Amino acid sequence: SIKSAKNLYYEVENSLLNIFNQIKDNRDFSIDPVFSYAQDIVSHIRSQPNTWMQLLYKVENSSDSDTIKNIVKHSLNTSIIAARIGIGLKLRDERLEDLVMQTCFHDVGMLKLPSEIIIKMSKLTNEEIIILFGLPGPLDSIYAGGPLQAVRVKNKERLEAKRKIEEAICRTIRSY
């Protein structure tokens, strides 16, 4: 039997939350569970598109103080919207599943950012912009060898985590 949209959403959310926590903690992880969920999501959205859009409205409007959980929700919601758009564009299921997989992990680099920057509602400072985007700028010379050195290390960690995820996605997709 087909799982209900809400149950499937929460199963995928929990699976992604587990993977994102493993990534944040630099532990080994597998994206295989998400690949099988991608197939279920595509199938569900094809058969019940309105149910999924209503579900997104409900989960998007629920607040959670857990930064990682918010990143996971955002990533999952983005993948559902991307799948809905892909269906509208008449993409094949295989392409839709790839799209769901890729959008589930599109913001994984955010895991390496300080929570304060991710949830900040006001304008970012120059230092926060450098941390967020890893941009060299006029502050580079001011902080050379100081705090920016730590920023460079964090950005390197973000890029390494992203590279590992991309490799895992490619391996998984190739194996099917």
Side-chain angles (χ1 to χ4, degrees):
S1 75
I2 295 177
K3 302 169 191 166
S4 76
K6 189 175 183 180
N7 288 341
L8 179 58
Y9 181 94
Y10 290 116
E11 281 181 40
V12 177
E13 180 183 43
N14 286 330
S15 183
L16 279 173
L17 189 57
N18 184 38
I19 293 168
F20 277 41
N21 277 313
Q22 290 169 335
I23 292 167
K24 183 169 179 53
D25 297 338
N26 294 318
R27 292 183 282 146
D28 290 337
F29 61 93
S30 169
I31 60 169
D32 289 343
V34 180
F35 188 80
S36 64
Y37 284 133
Q39 296 168 332
D40 292 342
I41 288 170
V42 169
S43 173
H44 260 258
I45 293 173
R46 278 199 187 282
S47 65
Q48 306 170 29
N50 293 335
T51 301
W52 280 88
M53 298 318 283
Q54 291 168 358
L55 178 62
L56 282 184
Y57 177 76
K58 289 178 183 172
V59 297
E60 190 63 34
N61 287 321
S62 65
S63 62
D64 198 313
S65 61
D66 182 352
T67 304
I68 295 177
K69 192 165 187 174
N70 285 327
I71 293 171
V72 166
K73 275 185 185 178
H74 166 73
S75 296
L76 179 54
N77 295 349
T78 301
S79 71
I80 291 166
I81 293 168
R84 186 75 172 93
I85 291 169
I87 289 169
L89 293 172
K90 302 191 183 333
L91 296 179
R92 296 182 327 255
D93 280 359
E94 183 180 291
R95 298 275 297 160
L96 289 169
E97 292 160 10
D98 289 350
L99 184 62
V100 168
M101 285 292 292
Q102 292 166 5
T103 51
C104 275
F105 294 102
H106 78 278
D107 265 346
V108 75
M110 300 288 273
L111 297 172
K112 298 294 183 177
L113 292 173
S115 301
E116 303 78 41
I117 292 177
I118 297 170
I119 62 172
K120 187 173 182 179
M121 298 302 280
S122 59
K123 184 177 177 180
L124 295 176
T125 65
N126 288 339
E127 292 86 359
E128 291 166 335
I129 290 170
I130 291 171
I131 291 170
L132 183 60
F133 296 107
L135 300 174
L139 297 175
D140 206 330
S141 60
I142 297 170
Y143 293 109
L148 284 185
Q149 187 60 35
V151 170
R152 287 188 190 100
V153 169
K154 285 182 184 177
N155 286 332
K156 189 174 180 181
E157 289 174 358
R158 284 174 42 208
L159 291 173
E160 181 63 20
K162 183 179 178 194
R163 186 189 62 73
K164 284 181 181 178
I165 288 169
E166 288 169 351
E167 287 174 359
I169 290 170
C170 288
R171 278 193 310 275
T172 303
I173 290 170
R174 280 190 212 115
S175 70
Y176 288 93

